[in-house]
Amino acid sequence: MDTRNIILVGFMGSGKSSTGRYVAGKLGRPFLDMDTEIERREGRAIPEIFAQSGEPYFRQLERALVQELAARAGLVIAPGGGIVLNPDNVRDFAARGLVVNLRVSPEWVLKRVGQDPNRPLLQGGDPLQRIRELMEKRKALYAAVPHQLETDGLTPEAVGDRVLALFRKTYSE
Ligand code: S3P
């Protein structure tokens, strides 16, 4: 089986982590959640990093971790939803791996993570409105990801099976 990384990008609440864990289990590979890894290295949670050091600092940490992980193989990776803000991140991952955007509607994001206090960018105001605005701003960036899969109404296992099929198809041709 091919050892290229599988990278699941997508908006908050698209199911990157749960799907990634499932895919990694099926392939017998390590799963790496970038937010969790950043929290572990920093010794503080994402909302604290945003509040104490600011978003640009967090984006630098993300960028450095992408460069590190893109140089490795055999991983299933779930980056944070904002990874697409720097197109170099997608480019570096895509150079040596399968990058899939898990598409999700604002309504499903709300269902999955709308009330979660650990998403600093969704705090304040009407959550559905915040989700719509942020998604609209990033629309072109997510659309530029090489592969796209729908997730609305699907379980992580159902999405994961589609990721696995895409992986096999892409690298057996
Ligand atoms: C962010 C998404 C979050 C986390 C941070 C910023 C974003 O990750 O990295 O709160 O900019 O979309 P999840 O997509 O795992 O929620």
Side-chain angles (χ1 to χ4, degrees):
M1 172 73 84
D2 198 278
T3 61
R4 266 169 276 213
N5 290 333
I6 296 175
I7 303 99
L8 302 180
V9 307
F11 200 78
M12 289 171 264
S14 56
K16 302 180 290 288
S17 300
S18 42
T19 304
R21 223 169 272 120
Y22 171 82
V23 168
K26 284 278 173 182
L27 294 174
R29 289 177 170 211
F31 168 68
L32 204 141
D33 182 300
M34 283 187 51
D35 281 348
T36 306
E37 182 61 16
I38 288 172
E39 288 182 328
R40 193 183 66 75
R41 292 183 187 191
E42 284 284 297
R44 49 191 181 146
I46 301 292
E48 283 160 12
I49 300 174
F50 270 70
Q52 295 165 357
S53 307
E55 185 174 340
Y57 175 77
F58 174 75
R59 298 300 173 200
Q60 281 170 25
L61 297 177
E62 267 190 328
R63 175 73 191 127
L65 188 55
V66 167
Q67 288 172 305
E68 183 183 323
L69 297 177
R72 291 172 58 186
L75 299 173
V76 177
I77 303 166
I83 205 77
V84 295
L85 292 171
N86 182 346
D88 290 347
N89 288 334
V90 177
R91 188 205 58 203
D92 290 349
F93 272 145
R96 297 176 55 194
L98 183 82
V99 190
V100 185
N101 179 43
L102 302 186
R103 292 172 52 81
V104 62
S105 67
E107 290 73 19
W108 274 92
V109 174
L110 186 69
K111 264 188 228 191
R112 291 180 184 150
V113 298
Q115 312 303 324
D116 186 349
N118 292 318
R119 275 24 189 236
L121 294 179
L122 299 184
Q123 305 310 304
D126 171 16
L128 187 57
Q129 192 57 30
R130 293 279 304 133
I131 293 164
R132 286 205 174 112
E133 281 168 16
L134 209 52
M135 216 181 248
E136 187 57 36
K137 269 195 213 154
R138 295 179 178 179
K139 210 170 154 183
L141 297 169
Y142 287 121
V145 172
H147 300 276
Q148 306 279 327
L149 285 176
E150 298 292 339
T151 71
D152 278 10
L154 296 177
T155 61
E157 292 77 18
V159 177
D161 286 338
R162 288 170 200 198
V163 172
L164 289 165
L166 180 64
F167 184 63
R168 294 194 175 106
K169 181 171 161 267
T170 306
Y171 295 125
S172 65
E173 281 167 359

